[in-house]
Amino acid sequence: MALAREIRRRIKSVDNTRQITRTMEMVATSKLRRAMDRVEAAKPYGAALGEIVAGLHDPELAGRFPLLRRPAEPKRAAVMLLTSNRGLCGAFNANLIKEANKLLERLQWQGIETELHVVGRKGVSYYQYRGEPMASVHTDFPETPGASEAAALVADLREGFETGRLDAVWVVSAHFRSALSAPPAAWELLPLAQASPAGRPDDREDGGGATEDGTGAEAASSLEQFILSPDAEQLLRRILPLYLRNAMYRAVVENVAAEQAARRTAMHNATDNAGDILENLTRTYNRVRQGQITQEIAEIVGGAAALE
């Protein structure tokens, strides 16, 4: 009986766990739908800004607008890693951290000094455990970020690039293609002339943006048809920071969507695994109980035969 009671306790425990994972899967599915809506809403605006910025590289403009400068030999770069604050999302954070480490190694191999900026408790915990220095950490990032939060993330990096302290800014985040595909990607946020719009993974795959030599000829030809009011300098002073903020916002919302997709998949798999364990435990319990009943019947029959 002791074995049967132990199996019953395990069955109850696994069943409770399955109910929790099923509920978490439903919650993640609901959050994923809202996150996907934010991703889709951000794409057209970002693509339009990207077309404008793609054809802006010019030595004269770069002298007046620091965000457009393109260092010939980058010496110092910043890497911003986006992770989640919570776990239970499979290998989502591990893949992002692995991609960030690969990028850091590649930049350091090229002789570029790097500094690491980490968003999310999972990434911060990893590098704290390894004892690696971080230039900044952000662990209070909301689950539904807005443009203001994205602007706050990139504010210090923008200032560092404008003052010449940084020559490049890289972002490691999830590239959200669909609910089933969101691989990690490393892309260059700054300089803008290189990152616009070909810096983002989805823009590169769509074939948009500058050509291989960085001229952005198609975008430049379309810009010639614009009638600018007010003057171009005032517009650029507004558009460049706006594009920078929007690029970071798109990275953040895609990362959140990818996190929820990974969590939904992980919880779905956990629910299925719990069902398999329950089936095996139930089968084992039935065999043990059947053996106990058979033994009890044999003892009753043997006792009755002894009394005759």
Side-chain angles (χ1 to χ4, degrees):
M1 289 297 293
L3 180 59
R5 283 197 298 269
E6 177 63 25
I7 294 176
R8 281 204 304 271
R9 281 195 294 268
R10 290 186 61 190
I11 288 175
K12 184 177 180 181
S13 175
V14 173
D15 187 51
N16 291 337
T17 302
R18 184 174 64 167
Q19 293 179 20
I20 294 172
T21 56
R22 184 184 291 117
T23 302
M24 293 183 67
E25 179 188 353
M26 295 171 62
V27 172
T29 301
S30 176
K31 291 182 178 180
L32 173 61
R33 170 48 55 190
R34 294 195 295 270
M36 289 176 63
D37 291 340
R38 289 193 294 270
V39 170
E40 292 301 321
K43 282 184 177 181
Y45 182 71
L49 277 177
E51 289 180 2
I52 296 174
V53 176
L56 291 180
H57 177 66
D58 181 86
E60 182 182 352
L61 286 177
R64 286 187 293 163
F65 302 97
L67 286 177
L68 290 177
R69 71 182 182 92
R70 184 183 299 179
E73 296 182 3
K75 297 181 179 179
R76 185 175 179 85
V79 175
M80 173 166 283
L81 168 63
L82 303 183
T83 61
S84 67
N85 285 327
R86 298 188 297 124
L88 298 177
C89 49
F92 173 75
N93 291 301
N95 291 336
L96 287 171
I97 292 172
K98 185 184 299 183
E99 186 70 22
N101 289 336
K102 288 168 54 180
L103 174 61
L104 289 169
E105 291 176 2
R106 178 163 60 86
L107 293 175
Q108 292 167 3
W109 182 80
Q110 295 173 354
I112 300 175
E113 185 181 354
T114 59
E115 61 179 45
L116 180 62
H117 302 259
V118 184
V119 180
R121 293 191 180 95
K122 293 302 177 179
V124 172
S125 299
Y126 171 83
Y127 287 105
Q128 283 180 342
Y129 177 77
R130 296 187 60 180
E132 297 190 13
M134 291 173 283
S136 69
V137 298
H138 304 269
T139 57
D140 56 348
F141 208 65
E143 196 171 88
T144 55
S148 58
E149 287 82 7
L153 278 183
V154 79
D156 292 339
L157 299 178
R158 170 191 166 188
E159 181 182 358
F161 187 82
E162 288 179 329
T163 58
R165 182 177 63 84
L166 297 173
D167 296 322
V169 176
W170 289 80
V171 178
V172 177
S173 62
H175 168 33
F176 186 81
R177 295 171 178 165
S178 68
L180 299 178
S181 176
W187 53 281
E188 196 169 21
L189 178 64
L190 289 170
L192 283 181
Q194 294 179 201
S196 313
R200 288 193 53 84
D202 50 350
D203 293 326
R204 284 198 302 266
E205 290 165 7
D206 293 340
T211 58
E212 290 296 327
D213 58 359
T215 58
E218 294 182 4
S221 62
S222 63
L223 286 173
E224 294 175 357
Q225 304 176 13
F226 291 164
I227 299 176
L228 303 180
S229 177
D231 61 85
E233 185 162 343
Q234 292 186 46
L235 288 175
L236 284 178
R237 292 193 184 280
R238 295 185 181 183
I239 288 177
L240 295 180
L242 191 63
Y243 174 81
L244 195 65
R245 184 191 68 177
N246 181 263
M248 179 57 68
Y249 174 72
R250 289 178 63 188
V252 168
V253 295
E254 285 192 24
N255 213 65
V256 171
E259 176 193 349
Q260 297 302 334
R263 181 168 291 112
R264 186 188 69 168
T265 300
M267 292 302 100
H268 178 76
N269 293 337
T271 302
D272 290 345
N273 292 339
D276 295 339
I277 294 173
L278 278 177
E279 183 178 348
N280 293 334
L281 287 175
T282 302
R283 190 181 299 114
T284 303
Y285 174 78
N286 291 337
R287 283 200 298 264
V288 171
R289 184 58 182 155
Q290 184 179 12
Q292 290 176 344
I293 292 173
T294 302
Q295 182 179 358
E296 290 172 1
I297 292 175
E299 291 174 353
I300 293 173
V301 172
L307 293 176
E308 290 180 354

